[in-house]
Amino acid sequence: MKQIITIGREFGAGGGELGRRLARELGIAYYDRDIILRTAKVSAHLTPEQVRRWDERVPHEFGFTQSLFNFYERPLSEELWDAQVRAIREIADKESCVIVGRCANAILKERPCTFNVFIHAPLVPRIGRVMKRENIDHMEAAATIERIDAERAEHCKHFTDTIWGKADAYHLSLDSSFEPSEENATIIASLARAAFPEAPLSPCPEKPKGKS
């Protein structure tokens, strides 16, 4: 059994950067946008462009046919989700890794040796990060954060019937603004190792017990 660390994140909280640092520290693989291509590969009807367009969103229309149904009258939104689930489970079966976003914590909730993290931060530092990264002004950054967070929350509720970011869905909820990214990666790595004493690359028998 491989060990998986999933990272949910608010937009602009630095979850992707933290995930990359964590993967390097633990010497394991890192998956984020790679999942888009893997999702397309396991689907018979979706292209990478279609998967990318609706990544972590609830599809309301696909545009290429003005229909949400494939040739078998199955909603393509369901096919997209099912393909993403298969892709994430295949990744988890293949190797120990960090998986960012895409409701991986819910998809792998019954899987042993999975450590789930949610990264959040106050709005002000998130706006600053997004302004710098996207080269946009304050108002556009704030609007982008609000939109993407809402899309992620809707996606999570629609497909997993869980509340995105709610603490009891994760082993750890971390405010990324308190420490630099490298320090936060060290904190998460330390807690993951404590939760799974044989982590990160050895098999382990069960999920960590909840702590108050």
Side-chain angles (χ1 to χ4, degrees), residues 79-182:
E79 180 172 341
L80 189 156
W81 171 252
D82 289 347
Q84 182 172 277
V85 168
R86 292 198 302 274
I88 288 174
R89 287 176 176 167
E90 286 176 5
I91 288 169
D93 289 340
K94 176 186 175 185
E95 59 187 339
S96 295
C97 62
V98 174
I99 301 176
V100 174
R102 295 154 187 92
C103 301
N105 65 305
I107 291 170
L108 301 175
K109 66 180 179 179
E110 302 299 330
R111 188 186 184 283
C113 304
T114 302
F115 190 76
N116 302 313
V117 180
F118 189 82
I119 304 300
H120 59 95
L123 184 58
V124 171
R126 293 166 63 201
I127 288 174
R129 182 189 296 271
V130 173
M131 288 175 63
K132 181 177 180 180
R133 186 178 65 201
E134 307 293 337
N135 193 28
I136 56 179
D137 64 25
H138 183 280
M139 293 297 293
E140 188 176 355
T144 300
I145 288 170
E146 181 178 12
R147 174 180 58 81
I148 293 179
D149 279 355
E151 289 171 351
R152 290 175 178 176
E154 182 188 18
H155 178 261
C156 183
K157 180 64 177 176
H158 181 84
F159 288 110
T160 72
D161 196 28
T162 59
I163 299 174
W164 177 74
K166 189 176 181 182
D168 62 6
Y170 307 89
H171 298 103
L172 173 67
S173 184
L174 180 69
D175 183 342
S176 62
S177 68
F178 277 104
E179 298 286 353
S181 184
E182 58 269 23

